[in-house]
Amino acid sequence: MKPHPSGRPRGIRGAAALGLAAAGALLVGLAATPSGAADAAGPVLRDLAQAQGKYYGTAVTASKLNGTYADIAGSQFNSITPGNEMKWESVEPSRGTYNWSGADAVVNFAQAHDMEVRGHTLVWHSQLPGWLTGGSWTADQLRTLMTDHITTEVGRYQGKITHWDVVNEPFNEDGTFRQSLWYTKLGPSYIADALRAARAADPDAKLYLNDYNTDGTGAKSDGMYNLVKSLKAQGVPIDGVGFQGHLILGQVPSTMKANLQRFADLGVDVAVTELDIRMTLPATDAELAQQKADYRAVTDACVAVSRCRGVTVWGFTDSDSWIPDVFDGQGAATPYDEGYRPKPAYYGIAESLGWTGDGGDPGDPDPDPTTGCTVGYTVTSQWNTGFTANVTVKNTGSSPVNGWQVAWAYPSGQRVTSGWNATVTQSGAQVTAANAPYNATIGAGGSVSFGFNGTWSGATPRPPRSPSTARPAPRAERPAVRLGGPDGTPPRRPGDRAWKSA
Ligand code: XIL
């Protein structure tokens, strides 16, 4: 079996080994790894993208930016888009009263993690406050409200936002202009006015128009194409076009690369701004394999077009995706599952970005499908002196496991204080969790979970990301677990498969 990364920050200290040892049947090895050594265990999307001259981004929910969610966002991605926090209803819920808390949180997070920010979004028909949609405005009043809003918001983050989605979703499916509040009152000139106001407020930000179902060629994409062409001809400040990429499994448009290229040929940058690929739930292995191919195809399209700046996924984890709320019975649309484990899609992205590692890809055939366990480790909460963790052992083999142990190390001083659903003991750095009498047997395809509380000290700084780029000290050092082979085989990470020794 192969190493398989989580999105855990690279270089976390206290790496540990989680191993299943032998209470009869299983051995899962976790070898302690020095800081940084675990980098070899798996791809880091932001580094791979950077090597291609691109970024890889994610939309986030500001209120979730802590714990594992923040770790993955900050370590795997180098661009961030607030999912909702910069929309009009969020920043100006009542007229003249601004709330920047969510937007600030995302920008601050980005700055602390060397990430670019995509500002999203200034002029849209949706998620507008009631005072704006319910008001009766003259065209002049509405135009001023729009440009003032842009001036205020873009001005607040001047110099901190790389790309702004200035106008979002201006088109109907047939390529005509959407009859939005803006269009019906102001006509198509609202788009040029919005772009000019944004340019004036931050001359360095790249200004984008953004839409969905424009990913491949077609009437709607033609509408965008003609608009951009005419804006360019008039000297309106337009720097890029965003293609949202809200796609259906197996339906990546075959014309996507050509479509991105024809926009690039107009003299603008392009980006995939809201990628997700939805499927009917529950997800099957075949669907997840198709999704891997789809994520790879979209990323390939961006890699192939030199003016494609990067790709942003609309949420990196299935636990933070808008899809199940909006598309009945659909979901599993992102590269990480709800437990923050990388899905085949994650490896599809990595492979597209040039990753050649052959480890840990759950989409690969299991070399020995009759044996094996996966071990997932999650810190479910942490505070300044303590933490709670959950470990799930899944039997991926085709025969039951009778008796199990999981072992790992906490070389940075974390101490387990109490456990449940397993007997968890610690000797020095070494922790061992053995099955409780009632959960010794794990049927084929079944899983068991156990948890524990522990203590830790917040003093250990995170090592630098790379020799040239120092990272800020993290809030806390996490009791990281690296899954590793029993005898010095490459280190693994949470979510990895474990070994079955006999
Ligand atoms: C979505 C958010 O993800 C949801 O949380 C919210 O309830 C609705 O909006 N196109 C866009 C995004 O440009 O702003 C939308 O985001 C998804 C579709």
Side-chain angles (χ1 to χ4, degrees), residues 61 64 69 315-322 324 332-334 336-340:
T61 300
K64 297 183 183 171
Y69 182 91
F316 65 84
T317 159
D318 291 342
S319 67
D320 189 37
S321 169
W322 69 309
T334 81
Y336 285 79
D337 73 12
E338 298 196 339
Y340 298 130

Side-chain angles (χ1 to χ4, degrees), residues 83-84 87 120 124 127 168-169 210 244 246 274 314 322:
N84 289 299
K87 292 173 181 173
H120 177 81
W124 191 25
Q127 294 182 272
N168 197 31
E169 303 181 351
N210 193 48
Q244 291 186 4
H246 293 295
E274 304 184 16
W314 204 246
W322 69 309

Side-chain angles (χ1 to χ4, degrees), residues 56 247 252-253 256 260 272 275 277 293-303 311 352:
Y56 226 86
L247 299 174
V252 177
M256 188 157 186
L260 298 183
V272 180
L275 179 61
I277 301 176
D294 291 348
Y295 266 92
R296 183 174 182 150
V298 172
T299 307
D300 281 350
C302 184
V303 168
V311 176
S352 172

